[in-house]
Amino acid sequence: MLERTVRDDDSAAQAVIENAGVVLAGRRSDIPKGFVAQIFARAVPEDVVRYGADDLAMLAERAYDFLSDRTQGAPKLRCDTVALSDSGARKSVTVIEIVNDDMPFLVDSVMGEISERRLDVRLVTHPGAGR
């Protein structure tokens, strides 16, 4: 039974990511077609399915704009609470975005700090650029 649930989550996550890609493509032709998948494909499927396609598209769009404007060698950090409109009972999410030159264990270090502060993490994404 558990295996079926995992497969169902995988399929549902893939579907919402694909739908978010379609939504974003309809809004912004300047964002590469596979960007939504690149951002969310390695996230935990059971976390992804808690968000609607419109909200994932909006989060990807924000991330793209944030990633696009950075001076090499200069880290960039943003923490915002973002309103959600397509994710059921979830009406907002706090998003921490970090853009940096390749830095091993940066995600692990940030996740450790968040954990030490006993904050809930509901979705972790990493585009895996350059991999």
Side-chain angles (χ1 to χ4, degrees):
M1 179 101 172
L2 179 61
E3 185 176 332
R4 183 171 185 267
T5 303
V6 169
R7 271 195 237 136
D8 289 346
D9 282 348
D10 287 347
S11 296
Q14 184 62 36
V16 75
I17 290 168
E18 288 173 8
N19 289 338
V22 170
V23 169
L24 187 55
R27 281 191 219 163
R28 300 272 303 269
S29 62
D30 61 314
I31 298 177
K33 184 178 179 180
F35 185 73
V36 173
Q38 186 177 10
I39 287 286
F40 294 110
R42 296 191 307 167
V44 176
E46 72 182 67
D47 294 343
V48 172
V49 299
R50 294 183 178 134
Y51 295 86
D54 286 343
D55 287 337
L56 286 183
M58 177 269 299
L59 292 170
E61 181 177 15
R62 285 174 41 88
Y64 182 82
D65 290 341
F66 189 69
L67 289 164
S68 295
D69 183 27
R70 182 182 77 91
T71 304
Q72 188 170 355
K76 192 173 177 182
L77 175 73
R78 172 168 73 180
C79 181
D80 284 330
T81 298
V82 179
L84 301 173
S85 62
D86 185 37
S87 297
R90 185 166 293 155
K91 300 300 177 197
S92 67
V93 63
T94 299
V95 179
I96 300 171
E97 293 167 297
I98 302 169
V99 183
N100 200 36
D101 294 335
D102 189 21
M103 181 178 277
F105 307 109
L106 178 62
V107 173
D108 293 337
S109 297
V110 171
M111 293 300 296
E113 183 65 29
I114 290 169
S115 178
E116 276 188 34
R117 294 173 185 266
R118 300 179 195 256
L119 299 171
D120 292 329
V121 175
R122 296 199 169 96
L123 178 67
V124 176
T125 67
H126 187 291
R131 293 187 181 176

